[in-house]
Amino acid sequence: NYQGLGRETILQASQQVLPISVTLKKILLSIITLGTGFQGGEFFPLAFIGSTLGSAFSFIDPSMTALFASLGFVTTYGAATRTPIACTLLAVEMLDWKIFPYAILTLWIATLIHNRVSTPIQD
């Protein structure tokens, strides 16, 4: 489940609520892989982590698992690459215009958090 691209798990994340342990295992294995000097991709690990994290949060409303997984994917990718506008358009292109308000909101929040964390606080 954690080797390769993980396309099956990414698709599964949009169909059912996955436990948070799936996301944490992928993060841990990615850290080990990159930390030992192996090169990895950027797109698929972020898509895997984001979609499974969104799926895990869909316990709030299991009928919206596909929306949560999609938002998790684009928000994680947008925050990691610092491209919120491009990822909002990516969400619209991949899914539909109906996701636009949700995507712009989650990416705006992720960008605010990312900028706050990566910018030193000055007294």
Side-chain angles (χ1 to χ4, degrees):
N1 289 339
Y2 302 97
Q3 281 184 314
L5 301 177
R7 289 183 294 207
E8 297 82 20
T9 307
I10 293 169
L11 291 173
Q12 187 181 18
S14 67
Q15 297 167 354
Q16 66 187 45
V17 179
L18 296 178
I20 192 92
S21 62
V22 174
T23 305
L24 297 176
K25 287 177 188 175
K26 182 64 174 183
I27 291 172
L28 178 65
L29 291 171
S30 296
I31 289 170
I32 292 169
T33 301
L34 296 172
T36 55
F38 290 98
Q39 288 188 334
E42 180 180 304
F43 181 78
F44 275 103
L46 288 172
F48 186 108
I49 291 167
S51 61
T52 56
L53 185 61
S55 176
F57 278 113
S58 70
F59 74 89
I60 297 167
D61 185 0
S63 68
M64 300 181 78
T65 301
L67 175 65
F68 277 70
S70 300
L71 288 174
F73 157 61
V74 295
T75 303
T76 303
Y77 194 73
T81 60
R82 300 185 89 170
T83 56
I85 296 170
C87 285
T88 301
L89 296 175
L90 174 72
V92 169
E93 183 180 344
M94 287 175 44
L95 303 161
D96 194 32
W97 276 101
K98 294 175 189 173
I99 200 168
F100 179 79
Y102 306 109
I104 197 77
L105 178 66
T106 58
L107 280 155
W108 177 70
I109 292 169
T111 301
L112 285 177
I113 292 169
H114 187 272
N115 289 341
R116 183 69 175 161
V117 170
S118 63
T119 305
I121 299 173
Q122 303 205 2
D123 293 326

